[in-house]
Amino acid sequence: MSKHTEISKLLADPKIGEAYTVKGWVRAFRANRFISLNDGSTINNLQAVVDFENFDSELLKRVSFHSCIQINGQLIESQGSGQAVELVVESIEILGDNNAEEYGLQPKRQTMEYLREKAHLRMRTNTLSAVFRIRHAISFAVHKYFNDHGYYYLHTPIITGSDAEGAGEMFQVTSLDVENPPKDENGKVDYKEDFFGKATNLTVSGQLQGEIGALALGKIYTFGPTFRAENSHTSRHLSEFWMIEPEVAFCDIHGNMDLAEDFSKYLINYVLDNYPDDLAVLDKRIQELEKNMKKEDRRPMGLVETLKFVVENNFERITYTEAINILRNSKPFKKGKFEFEPEWGKDLQAEHERFLVEKKFKRPVIVRDYPKGFKAFYMRLNEDNETVAAMDVLFPGIGEVIGGAQREERHDVLVGRMKAMDVHQEELWWYLELRKFGGCPHAGFGLGFERMVLFITGMENIRDVIPFPRTPGKAEF
């Protein structure tokens, strides 16, 4: 295979007069003269100029939309507008023909719903290629941030026998014959005969195991797939998604909030600094989508402007009790515009979160100290005995992006919480022992990776920021 230069590198450091070999997919071939070529390394295309009199007409007919070709040529300063340089074509080799009549993509705007049915092709579009380059950038930035701050990357189990969330909506893992499973004396499935000797599931969180790492290594983070068998079809939910979960020894709820804010801003800044061209394409897409909308339905700021605003301003920090009071004193509540009444002791609804973020404070908001009644058993009980040291980070347009807490390090209090919430101590004996053998105050959070990608790219549906979405009834590709 002949060597070639990636288009991103050529455009970043163009050497006029030099010979180049490039490979890629044809985005357009105008007037049998101008080839617009893209190889996926950048959102920007390279223009190649063909003197059709020097080429076989049958060869040029094969240079069609999204056919794959190799071009050899000399780089010159562009003779036209729209690009700084262009490649004068000396030879063309067809690497892969494309039957344009049967091809699933056409050189026109496609709906996101249609593109989801063409997941094997959709990354070739400008919008989705920009999204997935940015997804890569955020993923890289996650590892760089934690590495540079002294955290250790911990791989926690994907198959687990515990339910960290207590939600019960988990995918079961078994090697038993589902048509004829072994039964015990009570006629129930005998999981002692299963591969692991007990019932196991795909994980919903690596947090509990992450605490083991934090109480040995000081600061760890996980970054892996998680699974929830929730029959939800909303634009914010997936059945398979990725979670980032740092866990930090000697950290309280306030240090946890500091980490969440600093980490979020770092990820956004990394994309702003390194992928401006992709962001510009996504920003323009939003402007085009909103140009016929009513003013009140449009975003208050453009995508790039929003991202810069978030990193340049402090996140608002309030308690859950303060949030409830703000909501109950708000005009929407007094005018009966909330579908759900904001009431102390009940979780905040999406409409409440959006009011706090988009109307009241107009910036990300961290809400802390939630009532213990609807929070997990492992969250540290506050001195009032009514709330726990939990926190949620709310972003505009998305709602909750991060959820975390200071963990309950007191053995007796944790046992009491587990009893009150009917959490089986036998299954989590090791979790309790962490509190007996050199336990310490510690905290952590979970960041839904796709939700952060959704916010940074400005996309509307979470299924469009993961390459192969898994949702109820959908496991294709």
Side-chain angles (χ1 to χ4, degrees), residues 22 30 37 40 61 71 81 92 130 135 152 156 174-175 260 291 303 318 326 344 369 386 410 436 474:
V22 292
R30 304 188 315 277
L37 197 70
K61 286 179 182 178
I71 295 176
S81 60
I92 299 175
R135 182 185 171 101
Y152 297 102
T156 51
T174 183
S175 63
K291 64 184 179 182
L303 177 61
I318 59 174
I326 290 169
W344 203 99
D369 297 339
E386 295 294 332
R410 298 165 294 185
K436 293 172 64 176
K474 295 287 185 180

Side-chain angles (χ1 to χ4, degrees), residues 292-412:
N292 294 322
M293 289 184 182
K294 295 179 181 178
K295 186 176 180 179
E296 58 268 25
D297 294 331
R298 298 175 191 166
R299 298 172 186 236
M301 292 183 281
L303 177 61
V304 173
E305 188 181 2
T306 298
L307 298 178
K308 288 181 178 178
F309 180 82
V310 167
V311 297
E312 290 168 0
N313 290 277
N314 293 330
F315 291 7
E316 190 70 33
R317 302 187 185 190
I318 59 174
T319 66
Y320 166 88
T321 300
E322 289 170 338
I324 292 296
N325 290 336
I326 290 169
L327 290 165
R328 294 188 67 85
N329 287 316
S330 69
K331 288 182 180 179
F333 174 68
K334 291 179 178 179
K335 292 183 177 181
K337 292 188 175 182
F338 284 142
E339 181 180 354
F340 299 95
E341 181 179 351
E343 187 176 348
W344 203 99
K346 294 182 179 180
D347 204 356
L348 298 177
Q349 299 294 319
E351 60 180 346
H352 303 149
E353 295 174 344
R354 294 198 65 174
F355 173 80
L356 293 170
V357 173
E358 297 169 21
K359 302 297 183 184
K360 176 63 179 178
F361 295 110
K362 295 182 173 60
R363 68 186 66 196
V365 176
I366 306 179
V367 181
R368 73 176 193 278
D369 297 339
Y370 283 82
K372 65 182 180 181
F374 57 82
K375 287 296 184 180
F377 71 93
Y378 50 74
M379 297 182 175
R380 194 181 199 278
L381 191 65
N382 288 327
E383 296 302 316
D384 61 13
N385 205 39
E386 295 294 332
T387 61
V388 290
M391 65 158 199
D392 286 340
V393 182
L394 313 177
F395 269 34
I398 304 292
E400 181 189 339
V401 173
I402 293 174
Q406 183 175 341
R407 316 309 185 188
E408 183 56 79
E409 84 280 7
R410 298 165 294 185
H411 183 270
D412 57 334

Side-chain angles (χ1 to χ4, degrees), residues 155-420:
H155 296 98
T156 51
I158 290 175
I159 299 174
T160 180
S162 61
D163 177 3
E165 299 294 326
E169 295 167 332
M170 304 177 76
F171 290 102
Q172 188 174 353
V173 176
T174 183
S175 63
L176 296 177
D177 181 354
V178 294
E179 299 291 336
N180 187 29
K183 303 290 183 66
D184 60 21
E185 62 273 13
N186 297 317
K188 295 184 177 180
V189 175
D190 187 2
Y191 287 106
K192 291 180 181 179
E193 299 293 320
D194 208 347
F195 186 89
F196 294 104
K198 61 183 292 187
T200 54
N201 306 285
L202 295 178
T203 186
V204 299
S205 170
Q207 179 214 310
L208 301 188
Q209 293 87 352
E211 290 185 48
I212 295 175
L215 296 187
L217 302 174
K219 297 188 294 187
I220 66 91
Y221 72 103
T222 75
F223 186 3
T226 50
F227 310 84
R228 303 210 179 166
E230 184 179 0
N231 189 22
S232 174
H233 296 267
T234 77
S235 61
R236 298 288 181 268
H237 289 89
L238 291 164
S239 302
E240 175 186 293
F241 54 99
W242 289 68
M243 286 285 286
I244 301 152
E245 297 178 291
E247 201 69 37
V248 188
F250 320 117
C251 182
D252 62 11
I253 186 65
H254 299 286
N256 208 25
M257 291 190 291
D258 291 342
L259 174 62
E261 180 169 347
D262 189 61
F263 178 52
S264 299
K265 290 181 174 181
Y266 180 90
L267 298 183
I268 296 169
N269 266 323
Y270 186 86
V271 178
L272 283 168
D273 292 342
N274 293 281
Y275 287 78
D277 291 346
D278 288 301
L279 283 176
V281 165
L282 296 172
D283 202 346
K284 184 178 179 181
R285 171 186 174 272
I286 292 169
Q287 293 171 22
E288 290 176 353
L289 288 174
E290 293 186 346
K291 64 184 179 182
N292 294 322
M293 289 184 182
K294 295 179 181 178
K295 186 176 180 179
E296 58 268 25
D297 294 331
R298 298 175 191 166
R299 298 172 186 236
M301 292 183 281
L303 177 61
V304 173
E305 188 181 2
T306 298
L307 298 178
K308 288 181 178 178
F309 180 82
V310 167
V311 297
E312 290 168 0
N313 290 277
N314 293 330
F315 291 7
E316 190 70 33
R317 302 187 185 190
I318 59 174
T319 66
Y320 166 88
T321 300
E322 289 170 338
I324 292 296
N325 290 336
I326 290 169
L327 290 165
R328 294 188 67 85
N329 287 316
S330 69
K331 288 182 180 179
F333 174 68
K334 291 179 178 179
K335 292 183 177 181
K337 292 188 175 182
F338 284 142
E339 181 180 354
F340 299 95
E341 181 179 351
E343 187 176 348
W344 203 99
K346 294 182 179 180
D347 204 356
L348 298 177
Q349 299 294 319
E351 60 180 346
H352 303 149
E353 295 174 344
R354 294 198 65 174
F355 173 80
L356 293 170
V357 173
E358 297 169 21
K359 302 297 183 184
K360 176 63 179 178
F361 295 110
K362 295 182 173 60
R363 68 186 66 196
V365 176
I366 306 179
V367 181
R368 73 176 193 278
D369 297 339
Y370 283 82
K372 65 182 180 181
F374 57 82
K375 287 296 184 180
F377 71 93
Y378 50 74
M379 297 182 175
R380 194 181 199 278
L381 191 65
N382 288 327
E383 296 302 316
D384 61 13
N385 205 39
E386 295 294 332
T387 61
V388 290
M391 65 158 199
D392 286 340
V393 182
L394 313 177
F395 269 34
I398 304 292
E400 181 189 339
V401 173
I402 293 174
Q406 183 175 341
R407 316 309 185 188
E408 183 56 79
E409 84 280 7
R410 298 165 294 185
H411 183 270
D412 57 334
V413 178
L414 182 59
V415 169
R417 288 280 288 152
M418 293 175 81
K419 287 180 178 178

